[in-house]
């Protein structure tokens, strides 16, 4: 029972991460800076906190609150880095759990 509940929790995290990544990639493709800022500040940070990814949560917060970017290109470069980081987390979550023992 515990294993099934843990698996369901991981599945929910993966699905919500896929949603956040998809939203970010769509906004990035459309060049929607306002939507990108909202997603980074609210959705990525919320997901990262729920997933226990404190460093990712801090990066998404810093993207918006620390050292405003001087140019649109710099902001988009940092958004791209955040997307890459999320994709790395996603790849890690999709790996089978060798230590689960089940």
């Amino acid at each position: 029972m515990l294993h099934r509940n843990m698996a369901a929790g991981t599945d929910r995290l993966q699905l919500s991460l896929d949603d956040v990544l998809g939203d970010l990639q769509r906004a990035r493709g459309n060049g929607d800076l306002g939507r990108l800022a909202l997603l980074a500040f609210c959705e990525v940070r919320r997901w990262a906190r729920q997933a226990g990814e404190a460093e990712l949560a801090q990066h998404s917060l810093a993207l918006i609150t620390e050292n405003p970017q001087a140019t649109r290109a710099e902001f988009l470069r940092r958004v791209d880095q955040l997307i890459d980081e999320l994709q790395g987390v996603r790849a890690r979550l999709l790996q089978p759990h060798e230590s689960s023992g089940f």
Side-chain angles (χ1 to χ4, degrees):
M1 177 84 160
L2 178 59
H3 177 64
R4 186 173 50 225
N5 289 341
M6 287 173 48
T10 301
D11 289 345
R12 274 187 296 235
L13 280 176
Q14 288 174 349
L15 290 173
S16 61
L17 177 56
D18 287 344
D19 289 343
V20 170
L21 259 171
D23 288 345
L24 271 172
Q25 290 167 332
R26 256 186 311 284
R28 175 63 175 93
N30 293 333
D32 188 345
L33 299 182
R35 180 91 174 124
L36 287 168
L38 175 73
L39 288 167
F41 186 73
C42 296
E43 297 301 317
V44 172
R45 200 164 50 106
R46 178 192 56 79
W47 182 89
R49 282 192 257 153
Q50 287 177 343
E53 298 283 341
E55 190 172 324
L56 177 60
Q58 182 57 37
H59 289 166
S60 67
L61 176 66
L63 175 68
I64 305 304
T65 61
E66 294 177 6
N67 301 325
Q69 291 77 45
T71 65
R72 173 187 180 104
E74 176 63 19
F75 176 73
L76 292 174
R77 185 188 65 77
R78 291 192 61 200
V79 166
D80 290 341
Q81 289 175 335
L82 185 64
I83 290 171
D84 289 344
E85 192 172 350
L86 282 166
Q87 289 173 331
V89 170
R90 183 178 184 273
R92 194 175 72 233
L93 286 177
L94 290 175
Q95 291 176 353
H97 301 287
E98 295 95 27
S99 63
S100 66
F102 291 97

